[in-house]
Amino acid sequence: MRVLALDTALGATSVAVYDSETSRVLAEGSEAMARGHAEALLPMVDRVLKETGLGFSQIDRYASTIGPGSFTGIRIGIAAARAFALAHRKPVVGVSTLAAFAAPVLFGGEKRAVAAAVDARHGMVFYQLTSAEGSVMAGPGLFSLADAARGIGSAPVICAGDAAEMLARAVKEQNPDWRITPDTVRASAAPAISWVARLASVADPLVSACKPLYLREANVTMQDSHRLQRVATAGA
């Protein structure tokens, strides 16, 4: 399966083509930006496809990050992925930014629990805590920094996402013995598009709808847990 994945939800515009049969990213591009995602996305899609030598007809699945993230940015990626899928009669799936932030830690050889956090402003974060085995332990949902940190406690967790440093400091305030190091904080303005594509390759189109993910209160869903575990099984 060849997947064309898009991300415009946070601080970058990113595109990747991933081949699940060979477990390789065939080409990718990413540009950090706070605005201008709409203008940057389609030219980037064109460049990435040209680099692979593939046409739209050779893409088997389309995907976009669905949030949490920028209200406008989320819609840009979703609209493009849906349009591509509709025009070429292929399936389209959505991937949460929280799952994408967690994936490199969970499946990059470390096998560590990870707390993914996206800045929701005013002392709040969109948050998801995932065990080293890929099971979602808390969230995804909207939490205060204090509540998210309380959920971590003194556990040896890696904080990831654009609010990773904020979350780590909140954990440290509650647990002075908890150490903040480059190993425990993986801050990034946007998720790695290669992992968005990998997660999309194992997503179920009937479950992982490509529509905005709204998180207005703490809640628990098994969707990301199932997807993360399937990536582990697939050896991504």
Side-chain angles (χ1 to χ4, degrees), residues 176-228:
D177 292 334
W178 199 82
R179 296 184 62 193
I180 298 178
T181 69
D183 185 55
T184 57
V185 180
R186 310 289 173 85
S188 176
I193 189 62
S194 59
W195 284 102
V196 174
R198 287 181 172 92
L199 291 174
S201 73
V202 297
D204 182 348
L206 298 178
V207 176
S208 304
C210 191
K211 62 182 182 181
L213 175 64
Y214 293 111
L215 299 176
R216 291 296 174 236
E217 59 184 17
N219 61 82
V220 177
T221 176
M222 297 306 295
Q223 177 174 311
D224 283 333
S225 178
H226 290 163
R227 186 182 304 149
L228 292 167

Side-chain angles (χ1 to χ4, degrees), residues 129-207:
L129 178 63
T130 308
S131 73
E133 292 72 37
S135 298
V136 176
M137 302 167 65
L142 180 64
F143 292 74
S144 70
L145 269 171
D147 284 344
R150 193 172 297 113
I152 293 172
S154 59
V157 168
I158 291 176
C159 297
D162 73 348
E165 293 180 355
M166 293 168 49
L167 179 58
R169 289 196 297 270
V171 176
K172 181 73 172 178
E173 287 178 5
Q174 295 184 14
N175 302 279
D177 292 334
W178 199 82
R179 296 184 62 193
I180 298 178
T181 69
D183 185 55
T184 57
V185 180
R186 310 289 173 85
S188 176
I193 189 62
S194 59
W195 284 102
V196 174
R198 287 181 172 92
L199 291 174
S201 73
V202 297
D204 182 348
L206 298 178
V207 176

Side-chain angles (χ1 to χ4, degrees), residues 36-116:
H37 298 80
E39 293 78 11
L41 181 59
L42 295 184
M44 187 177 292
V45 169
D46 184 57
R47 290 196 302 272
V48 169
L49 281 176
K50 283 182 178 177
E51 186 175 337
T52 66
L54 300 173
F56 282 104
S57 63
Q58 295 167 290
I59 299 298
D60 302 301
R61 174 177 291 186
Y62 295 92
S64 174
T65 48
I66 57 174
S70 159
F71 182 89
T72 301
I74 290 168
R75 280 158 179 73
I76 292 167
I78 288 175
R82 282 178 168 178
F84 293 150
L86 180 63
H88 300 284
R89 299 182 180 180
K90 298 293 176 63
V92 59
V93 298
V95 175
S96 87
T97 52
L98 295 173
F101 275 128
V105 176
L106 295 171
F107 310 117
E110 296 176 273
K111 281 289 183 181
R112 300 267 301 274
V114 56

Side-chain angles (χ1 to χ4, degrees), residues 19-50:
D19 186 340
S20 64
E21 184 176 351
T22 61
S23 299
R24 289 195 311 118
V25 175
L26 302 181
E28 64 181 300
S30 185
E31 183 179 349
M33 58 181 63
R35 299 178 181 83
H37 298 80
E39 293 78 11
L41 181 59
L42 295 184
M44 187 177 292
V45 169
D46 184 57
R47 290 196 302 272
V48 169
L49 281 176
K50 283 182 178 177

